[in-house]
Amino acid sequence: MSDVVSLLSQIEDTGRDTRGPGYQRPGFSATERELREWFLAEADRRGLDTEIDANGITWAWATPQGANAVVTGSHLDSVPGGGEFDGPLGVASALAAFDVLKTSGALDQSTRPLALAVFPEEEGSRFGVACLGSRLLTGAIDVDRALGLKDAAGDTFADVARGYGLDPDRIGRDQSRLAGIGSFTELHVEQGVGLINTDQAVAIGSSIIGHGRWHFAFSGQGNHAGTTPMSHRADPVVAASRVIGDIPTLAAATDASAVATVGRTLIHPGGTNVIASTMSFWLDIRHPDDAVVKQVLEAISRRAKDHGADSGVEVTISQESYSPTTHFTADLNSRLTSVLPDAPLLPSGAGHDAGILAPHVPAAMLYVRNPTGVSHAPEEACEVDDQRAGVDALVKVLARELGIEHALADSSTGGPTAGGAR
């Protein structure tokens, strides 16, 4: 079977951004469907039993479904202009790890089910809510709210889900499936610099810091750009832009380690000779202390109201998603450490499906070194040796969870160590 490098090469052209570097792989899109079909084909080649559940999560079972399943996987969608590895590395590594376990013969000695999973709309780039698939699975988002979410074209998630082959009446928390998961381990490219100056290619996730997204809507008066005096304007772009400019100072003044970002804006109607009638932006705030996140939001919200009042603009603020600081399951992390004793423990400022699952099932993360430290951008990277080291680490973790580590050790398989050099 193919190793992780060749698996990734099979999809390296899928969803490439035709306007520049990076990828466009929105959730529940034709591109994500193409990637899903690639995964299903690879699973079928391996004789895995595949299914797509009511929430659009794709499953590939190496053994008959049952209780106490060992699960690994990630996502295939990307942020706009994203990199090659965010999501796909974890999916390709799951397939490659299965290959090692199967080829070694160790998997035949397992009495626990093994499944590979692909979660949809992890980035939230289409409907604005990150980790939508895992939130639906766990009930972390209200179903009616989820079905009513709209994309940039105005299509609701309910309508898009139907087109994706899902039944909106069946979407939502799936307690029986959750109860069947004994552990979930997600491998992901590192989205930071924690491993750059170390001799370790793989780290174990300790926590995901609290983070949320809020929508700020500024409503003014659309008018003619040439005939409306400056003193008679209610320009939402002016008010919103002033707030955006204040955000770095407000975040730093609240707490030096808080981060707040505006990465998306929307101006309506968007004419060059038209004073806009509305402007929106989406605010992302992150900090390990949930109280600090709240304080940063309050400071920015107050400033938005002040600038709105000064400009004669109405301001509406709504929360789109929030995930409190999540600590990964201590017992599971202890087992990961037992098979990866040299891997450091790293917190993450990036959200993941494993973080959504963690309050409901034992969950863990493996991070694979990124030599640039850049993610959510084309410069995201992961060297070949590190990709393979990540698979090696995942194999050890899965073998430990399946209770077949001794069978694996007795087999003739080999490979790079998790701490291998680049």
Side-chain angles (χ1 to χ4, degrees), residues 165-197:
L166 305 180
D167 180 355
D169 291 335
R170 296 181 58 230
I171 286 174
R173 180 178 170 87
D174 189 340
Q175 179 56 38
S176 62
R177 192 173 292 274
L178 283 171
I181 300 174
S183 68
F184 175 71
T185 302
E186 180 175 2
L187 180 146
H188 204 280
V189 68
E190 186 190 6
Q191 296 176 285
V193 297
L195 291 171
I196 285 180
N197 294 317

Short mmCIF file of all heavy atoms in Angstrom, two decimals, residues 165-197:
data_model
loop_
_atom_site.label_atom_id
_atom_site.label_comp_id
_atom_site.label_asym_id
_atom_site.label_seq_id
_atom_site.Cartn_x
_atom_site.Cartn_y
_atom_site.Cartn_z
N GLY A 165 -26.47 14.75 0.21
CA GLY A 165 -27.00 13.42 0.49
C GLY A 165 -27.41 13.18 1.92
O GLY A 165 -27.66 12.04 2.32
N LEU A 166 -27.50 14.26 2.73
CA LEU A 166 -27.88 14.12 4.13
C LEU A 166 -29.35 14.47 4.32
O LEU A 166 -29.93 15.24 3.56
CB LEU A 166 -27.02 15.02 5.02
CG LEU A 166 -25.50 14.86 4.91
CD1 LEU A 166 -24.80 15.82 5.86
CD2 LEU A 166 -25.09 13.41 5.20
N ASP A 167 -29.95 13.91 5.36
CA ASP A 167 -31.33 14.19 5.72
C ASP A 167 -31.34 15.15 6.90
O ASP A 167 -30.93 14.76 8.01
CB ASP A 167 -32.05 12.89 6.09
CG ASP A 167 -33.50 13.10 6.48
OD1 ASP A 167 -33.95 14.27 6.55
OD2 ASP A 167 -34.19 12.10 6.74
N PRO A 168 -31.77 16.41 6.71
CA PRO A 168 -31.75 17.36 7.83
C PRO A 168 -32.50 16.88 9.06
O PRO A 168 -32.16 17.28 10.19
CB PRO A 168 -32.42 18.61 7.22
CG PRO A 168 -32.14 18.50 5.76
CD PRO A 168 -32.21 17.03 5.46
N ASP A 169 -33.49 16.02 8.89
CA ASP A 169 -34.25 15.54 10.04
C ASP A 169 -33.45 14.56 10.89
O ASP A 169 -33.83 14.27 12.03
CB ASP A 169 -35.54 14.84 9.56
CG ASP A 169 -36.53 15.81 8.96
OD1 ASP A 169 -36.47 17.01 9.31
OD2 ASP A 169 -37.35 15.40 8.13
N ARG A 170 -32.34 14.05 10.37
CA ARG A 170 -31.53 13.09 11.11
C ARG A 170 -30.25 13.70 11.66
O ARG A 170 -29.50 13.04 12.38
CB ARG A 170 -31.18 11.89 10.21
CG ARG A 170 -32.38 11.08 9.76
CD ARG A 170 -31.95 9.90 8.89
NE ARG A 170 -31.02 9.03 9.60
CZ ARG A 170 -29.86 8.61 9.12
NH1 ARG A 170 -29.46 9.00 7.91
NH2 ARG A 170 -29.08 7.81 9.83
N ILE A 171 -30.00 14.96 11.32
CA ILE A 171 -28.77 15.63 11.76
C ILE A 171 -28.87 15.94 13.25
O ILE A 171 -29.91 16.36 13.76
CB ILE A 171 -28.55 16.91 10.94
CG1 ILE A 171 -28.07 16.53 9.52
CG2 ILE A 171 -27.54 17.84 11.61
CD1 ILE A 171 -27.96 17.71 8.57
N GLY A 172 -27.75 15.77 13.97
CA GLY A 172 -27.71 16.14 15.38
C GLY A 172 -26.95 15.13 16.22
O GLY A 172 -26.33 14.19 15.70
N ARG A 173 -26.97 15.34 17.52
CA ARG A 173 -26.21 14.50 18.45
C ARG A 173 -26.51 13.03 18.23
O ARG A 173 -27.67 12.61 18.14
CB ARG A 173 -26.52 14.89 19.89
CG ARG A 173 -25.76 14.06 20.92
CD ARG A 173 -26.05 14.52 22.34
NE ARG A 173 -25.51 13.59 23.33
CZ ARG A 173 -24.28 13.63 23.83
NH1 ARG A 173 -23.46 14.58 23.42
NH2 ARG A 173 -23.86 12.76 24.71
N ASP A 174 -25.43 12.24 18.17
CA ASP A 174 -25.55 10.80 17.94
C ASP A 174 -24.94 10.08 19.15
O ASP A 174 -23.76 9.74 19.16
CB ASP A 174 -24.81 10.43 16.65
CG ASP A 174 -25.07 9.00 16.21
OD1 ASP A 174 -25.48 8.18 17.05
OD2 ASP A 174 -24.85 8.71 15.02
N GLN A 175 -25.78 9.87 20.16
CA GLN A 175 -25.28 9.31 21.41
C GLN A 175 -24.76 7.89 21.24
O GLN A 175 -23.75 7.51 21.83
CB GLN A 175 -26.39 9.31 22.47
CG GLN A 175 -25.98 8.72 23.82
CD GLN A 175 -24.77 9.41 24.42
OE1 GLN A 175 -24.62 10.64 24.31
NE2 GLN A 175 -23.88 8.64 25.03
N SER A 176 -25.42 7.09 20.40
CA SER A 176 -24.97 5.71 20.25
C SER A 176 -23.59 5.65 19.61
O SER A 176 -22.75 4.82 20.00
CB SER A 176 -25.99 4.92 19.41
OG SER A 176 -26.10 5.45 18.10
N ARG A 177 -23.33 6.53 18.65
CA ARG A 177 -22.01 6.53 18.02
C ARG A 177 -20.95 7.04 18.99
O ARG A 177 -19.84 6.48 19.06
CB ARG A 177 -22.01 7.38 16.75
CG ARG A 177 -20.75 7.19 15.89
CD ARG A 177 -20.88 7.91 14.57
NE ARG A 177 -21.88 7.32 13.72
CZ ARG A 177 -21.67 6.31 12.88
NH1 ARG A 177 -20.47 5.76 12.81
NH2 ARG A 177 -22.64 5.85 12.12
N LEU A 178 -21.26 8.06 19.75
CA LEU A 178 -20.32 8.56 20.75
C LEU A 178 -20.00 7.48 21.76
O LEU A 178 -18.84 7.30 22.16
CB LEU A 178 -20.90 9.79 21.46
CG LEU A 178 -20.87 11.11 20.71
CD1 LEU A 178 -21.67 12.15 21.48
CD2 LEU A 178 -19.44 11.59 20.49
N ALA A 179 -21.03 6.77 22.20
CA ALA A 179 -20.82 5.74 23.22
C ALA A 179 -19.93 4.61 22.72
O ALA A 179 -19.30 3.91 23.53
CB ALA A 179 -22.18 5.17 23.66
N GLY A 180 -19.84 4.44 21.40
CA GLY A 180 -19.02 3.38 20.85
C GLY A 180 -17.56 3.73 20.68
O GLY A 180 -16.74 2.87 20.35
N ILE A 181 -17.20 5.02 20.89
CA ILE A 181 -15.81 5.45 20.71
C ILE A 181 -15.05 5.26 22.02
O ILE A 181 -15.34 5.92 23.02
CB ILE A 181 -15.74 6.92 20.27
CG1 ILE A 181 -16.46 7.11 18.92
CG2 ILE A 181 -14.28 7.39 20.16
CD1 ILE A 181 -16.56 8.56 18.47
N GLY A 182 -14.06 4.38 22.00
CA GLY A 182 -13.25 4.16 23.19
C GLY A 182 -12.14 5.18 23.32
O GLY A 182 -11.76 5.58 24.42
N SER A 183 -11.60 5.63 22.18
CA SER A 183 -10.61 6.71 22.17
C SER A 183 -10.51 7.27 20.76
O SER A 183 -10.74 6.56 19.78
CB SER A 183 -9.23 6.21 22.64
OG SER A 183 -8.65 5.32 21.71
N PHE A 184 -10.16 8.55 20.68
CA PHE A 184 -9.95 9.21 19.40
C PHE A 184 -8.63 9.95 19.45
O PHE A 184 -8.39 10.77 20.35
CB PHE A 184 -11.08 10.20 19.10
CG PHE A 184 -10.86 11.01 17.84
CD1 PHE A 184 -10.94 10.42 16.59
CD2 PHE A 184 -10.54 12.36 17.91
CE1 PHE A 184 -10.72 11.15 15.42
CE2 PHE A 184 -10.31 13.11 16.75
CZ PHE A 184 -10.41 12.50 15.50
N THR A 185 -7.76 9.66 18.48
CA THR A 185 -6.47 10.35 18.37
C THR A 185 -6.38 11.01 17.01
O THR A 185 -6.50 10.34 15.98
CB THR A 185 -5.30 9.36 18.55
OG1 THR A 185 -5.42 8.71 19.82
CG2 THR A 185 -3.97 10.10 18.48
N GLU A 186 -6.17 12.32 17.01
CA GLU A 186 -6.07 13.07 15.76
C GLU A 186 -4.63 13.52 15.55
O GLU A 186 -4.05 14.19 16.41
CB GLU A 186 -7.00 14.29 15.79
CG GLU A 186 -6.94 15.12 14.51
CD GLU A 186 -7.94 16.27 14.50
OE1 GLU A 186 -8.66 16.45 15.49
OE2 GLU A 186 -7.99 16.99 13.47
N LEU A 187 -4.07 13.15 14.41
CA LEU A 187 -2.75 13.64 14.03
C LEU A 187 -2.92 14.88 13.16
O LEU A 187 -3.79 14.91 12.29
CB LEU A 187 -1.98 12.55 13.28
CG LEU A 187 -0.56 12.91 12.81
CD1 LEU A 187 0.34 11.68 12.88
CD2 LEU A 187 -0.57 13.47 11.38
N HIS A 188 -2.08 15.89 13.40
CA HIS A 188 -2.23 17.16 12.68
C HIS A 188 -0.87 17.81 12.53
O HIS A 188 0.00 17.67 13.39
CB HIS A 188 -3.15 18.09 13.48
CG HIS A 188 -3.82 19.14 12.65
ND1 HIS A 188 -3.20 20.30 12.26
CD2 HIS A 188 -5.08 19.21 12.15
CE1 HIS A 188 -4.05 21.03 11.55
NE2 HIS A 188 -5.20 20.39 11.48
N VAL A 189 -0.67 18.51 11.43
CA VAL A 189 0.54 19.30 11.29
C VAL A 189 0.55 20.36 12.38
O VAL A 189 -0.49 20.91 12.75
CB VAL A 189 0.63 19.95 9.89
CG1 VAL A 189 -0.44 21.02 9.69
CG2 VAL A 189 2.02 20.53 9.64
N GLU A 190 1.73 20.62 12.96
CA GLU A 190 1.82 21.63 14.00
C GLU A 190 1.52 23.00 13.41
O GLU A 190 2.00 23.36 12.33
CB GLU A 190 3.21 21.65 14.63
CG GLU A 190 3.29 22.59 15.82
CD GLU A 190 4.70 22.83 16.32
OE1 GLU A 190 5.66 22.36 15.68
OE2 GLU A 190 4.85 23.50 17.36
N GLN A 191 0.75 23.78 14.14
CA GLN A 191 0.39 25.13 13.69
C GLN A 191 1.06 26.14 14.60
O GLN A 191 0.41 26.98 15.22
CB GLN A 191 -1.13 25.27 13.67
CG GLN A 191 -1.77 24.31 12.65
CD GLN A 191 -3.27 24.34 12.64
OE1 GLN A 191 -3.92 23.81 13.54
NE2 GLN A 191 -3.85 24.96 11.63
N GLY A 192 2.37 26.05 14.67
CA GLY A 192 3.15 26.92 15.54
C GLY A 192 4.61 26.53 15.47
O GLY A 192 5.05 25.81 14.56
N VAL A 193 5.40 26.98 16.45
CA VAL A 193 6.85 26.84 16.39
C VAL A 193 7.39 25.99 17.54
O VAL A 193 8.59 26.01 17.81
CB VAL A 193 7.53 28.23 16.41
CG1 VAL A 193 7.13 29.03 15.18
CG2 VAL A 193 7.16 29.01 17.70
N GLY A 194 6.54 25.22 18.20
CA GLY A 194 6.97 24.48 19.37
C GLY A 194 8.03 23.42 19.10
O GLY A 194 8.82 23.09 19.99
N LEU A 195 8.06 22.88 17.90
CA LEU A 195 9.00 21.79 17.59
C LEU A 195 10.16 22.22 16.70
O LEU A 195 11.07 21.42 16.44
CB LEU A 195 8.25 20.64 16.90
CG LEU A 195 7.28 19.85 17.78
CD1 LEU A 195 6.45 18.89 16.94
CD2 LEU A 195 8.05 19.08 18.86
N ILE A 196 10.14 23.46 16.24
CA ILE A 196 11.13 23.88 15.24
C ILE A 196 12.55 23.70 15.73
O ILE A 196 13.42 23.18 15.02
CB ILE A 196 10.89 25.35 14.83
CG1 ILE A 196 9.67 25.44 13.91
CG2 ILE A 196 12.10 25.91 14.11
CD1 ILE A 196 9.36 26.84 13.44
N ASN A 197 12.84 24.10 16.95
CA ASN A 197 14.22 24.07 17.45
C ASN A 197 14.48 22.86 18.34
O ASN A 197 15.33 22.91 19.23
CB ASN A 197 14.52 25.37 18.20
CG ASN A 197 14.51 26.57 17.28
OD1 ASN A 197 15.04 26.51 16.17
ND2 ASN A 197 13.91 27.66 17.72
#
